[in-house]
Amino acid sequence: MLDQYQTDSFFDEMMNNKEQPKPHYEHFYQMLHRFSVEVLHEKNETAQLSFLRKGITFTVYSDSVGTERTMPFDFVPIIIPSQNWQRIERGMKQRVKALNLFLEDIYHDQEIINDGIIPRELVEQNPYYYHEQASGLNIPYQNHIFLAGIDLIRDEHGEYRVLEDNLRNPSGMSYVFQNRYVMRQVYPELFFEHAIETLEHQLSELHQALIMHVPANSLSPEQPCAVLLTPGSYNSAYYDHVFLAQQMGIELVEGRDLVVRNDIVYMKTIRGLKRVDIIYRRIDDDFLDPDAFDPKSVLGVRGLLRAYQKGNVAIVNGIGNGVADDKAMYAYVPDMIRYYLDEEPIIPNVETYFLRDEEQRAYVLDHLHELVVKNVGASGGYDMLIGPHAEEEEIAVFREKILEKPAQYIAQPTIKLSRAPAFQGGRFYPCHVDLRVFVMSGAHSHVLPGGLSRVALKEGSLVVNSSQGGGGKDTWVLQERGNAHA
Amino acid sequence: MHMLSRVADSLYWMARNLERAENNARALHVQLINMLEANDAEVLDRDWEEVLEITASLADYQSQYPELKSEEIIHYVAFDSGNINSLVNCMTYARENARATRDIIPEGVWEGLNRFYLDLPAVRRSDFTIHEIQNFLHTITMTSMTSQGVIESTMTRGVSYSFIKIGKWLERAEKTARILNVICEKARKEKQDSINHHYYWLAALRLVNGYDAYIKEYPPKMNAMHVLHFIIEEEKFPRSIRYCVDHVMETIYKLEKGEIHHYSERLFQLLETIQQEVTSFDLEEMSMEELMGFLDHFQNRCIQVSRVFSETYYLIEPVEIK
């Protein structure tokens, strides 16, 4: 079955070599051999179709024409032994806690800047730093990060590293649930003899965390009215919004469904106006309120920011989180952990070079063939150079870009991203994977067991983003007793 | 749970668009069958004109095409993206409405509409055979009926359900009146007792999907009075004007828990007036012209109800119905 499979010099999640699986994949590996390639192929088709039929799609825009696509699903799960997971879980809680303290700090006293840990200009020149809009506010639990999506990778030694923090509007949680759902529908046999952490109660955890964010002036603190604010059905992550609103039992609203009167937010219902206490927004800061941000925005709600500032409504994730999750600030997160928590980071970063720094820039320009260069403000795998895979021309283009706007870019060593087998087109082949871990916080933090494993299904590709051909896998966290088998 | 006005509006229009697609598909289906037996070019042309009239597309069609050609008309009614009432458009709008209310409607309704939409690219839109078109019409009918089945068998009889049903009945009532108007116009031009009369009233029953129900109540001889009574006044026939009006009234009454508030007063008054107009009208005493006047008036009433209904529940400005 996997006899043609090559692990090469990469760390493979499942296989030690083509004959021998890692201990925690042993059961799964045995199970696989009970299926013929034809049956696996047929099941694969069924699984892909199931996503399409259910309309679990994201919209890709090119030339302003939107096409609905499904994220390809690969059935080989990423299995994580409980010991590994416990470390990840601690590492994620630690990281989000530090990031939240950082946000609270820079929107208040800015001690971390005054103490010289983080350069002032890195904060103040950040386009997502909203001093005027978000400074000095007393928000519920001083919590800025209701839902974080932290992207992890593993290097060639199998060491987990944080690749990116997403503290604004991380998407993809619905896929975690749908991947599991489809997996159970189409491949029930594969679950036998595995004891894995269930996802059943996770959405009620999310709901609990959400409704803790009661604003100071709420009239119904016991039963706050929470809504999910979506840009609408043309947004690429609309399915995510629908799913979360539905599962949490909260209203899915668009900007035009809300109105602010006397600094109080209401939604427009068939019985008139109904006061809203908590907004889980999936609209970026810039578009939230045309009075306070981009005046051209038609997605937002006029006057929302004033209502927020007055404590009449809670908005999560908080306004201005973007200052903490861009690719330049990323490099300082280990320092934040040391500064605020007096702890060493449990899950390390990927080494990062600042191109604003003359010495580091010189090094990077000399080693563009070996490095990955990223725009600090871009996401989704755009405006990115992968040195070892790039043509000379492309490298030359990035050289110009870096010289022109050094502060706009960072560089990182090309990590040999771990791989896992994928089964597409009737055969197994190795693909690079990463893992988005979701951390939900209210009065305390909770990490969703597993997360969204993303896989670069194009052979050899390093880009896992769904907009660029990436797919998803189910992620199994083994229960402690489950590891006894392994 | 509170019902957002936008969501209520989408539910209402999902139901209307779906009902409209089903009715228009039926109009085309009936014509394609009739066409097989028509031997007179003039009759054929007139029949095609009626299909356009019933699907509310005649004026638009004529402004774009100089003559009535069956392939062009089929294409226009079924596929043309420039025709807001084309089947593809109605079904696509219904899917968009469903997509915007996915967290409210049963999964099966969304999946049915989505499946139809996903299969659309495989439907041939030119050089089609009649058989292909009939298959397409059948799929629309089945999609609509399956959706209604899922709604009936799984939805709580609450606010969402009510908005869906009100949309369906209003659309149906208006379409039934429109169909009768077209048939009456045709009958009026013919001499009384012409053999064609039988054929017209039979067509009316088929167009409202009422033929099977009718012959269980009346002999298969097409008596104009019987047919008109059945389609307009029969309170047990779920596609009659009377039935639809009664059920809209009943549903709104329940929605308001039997109480009339200042904001709903105008809606209740209007519905009561219409109910009275429908029950007190006397078919026996009417000339064909008067009957057609009544049907015209009733169609205007439907547009009025749709508007007042939207205003009462703060729905978004309704799309203008042509």
Side-chain angles (χ1 to χ4, degrees), chain A residues 51-57 59 68 181 225 230 233-235 238-239 242 245-246 249-254 256-257 267-274, chain B residues 1-8 95-96 99-105 107 110-111 114-115 117-119 159 163 255-257 263 312-316:
Chain A
F51 281 94
L52 192 63
R53 291 266 188 252
K54 287 167 78 79
I56 303 172
T57 54
T59 312
E68 289 168 33
Y181 176 82
C225 171
T230 173
S233 63
Y234 297 100
N235 183 266
Y238 183 64
Y239 177 72
V242 170
Q246 191 176 32
I250 62 175
E251 213 62 65
L252 179 67
V253 305
E254 296 178 15
R256 56 188 160 133
D257 297 325
M267 61 178 169
K268 302 174 195 166
T269 80
I270 58 167
R271 309 286 187 197
L273 299 179
K274 156 84 184 155
Chain B
M1 275 295 254
H2 299 270
M3 172 62 69
L4 284 177
S5 294
R6 176 182 53 79
V7 170
R95 179 198 179 250
E96 285 302 308
R99 195 162 180 240
T101 52
R102 276 185 70 167
D103 53 330
I104 310 279
I105 58 174
E107 185 131 311
W110 156 251
E111 284 185 19
N114 192 43
R115 177 182 287 247
Y117 177 83
L118 292 170
D119 291 342
V159 179
F163 273 76
L255 198 60
E256 294 299 321
K257 299 193 176 67
Y263 66 86
T312 303
Y313 296 106
Y314 311 103
L315 305 190
I316 296 163

Side-chain angles (χ1 to χ4, degrees), chain A residues 78-82 85 180 195-197 449-451 475-479:
Chain A
I78 299 298
I79 303 178
I80 306 175
S82 76
W85 177 253
R180 176 67 54 84
I196 63 176
E197 294 287 349
T475 311
W476 296 359
V477 172
L478 295 180
Q479 291 178 3

Side-chain angles (χ1 to χ4, degrees), chain A residues 293-361:
Chain A
F293 300 93
D294 186 343
K296 291 192 294 291
S297 170
V298 288
L299 298 176
V301 187
R302 213 168 268 288
L304 193 56
L305 185 76
R306 273 171 58 91
Y308 176 62
Q309 289 171 331
K310 290 204 160 177
N312 292 337
V313 70
I315 295 177
V316 299
N317 287 344
I319 290 175
N321 282 9
V323 65
D325 73 357
D326 84 350
K327 293 183 171 67
M329 200 59 83
Y330 160 85
Y332 288 95
V333 178
D335 290 334
M336 293 177 198
I337 293 172
R338 293 183 194 103
Y339 179 78
Y340 292 114
L341 307 177
D342 200 17
E343 293 172 12
E344 276 305 306
I346 297 167
I347 307 286
N349 266 13
V350 175
E351 196 184 344
T352 301
Y353 303 103
F354 279 103
L355 300 178
R356 57 169 71 227
D357 179 292
E358 203 174 322
E359 219 173 292
Q360 296 187 26
R361 183 166 69 237

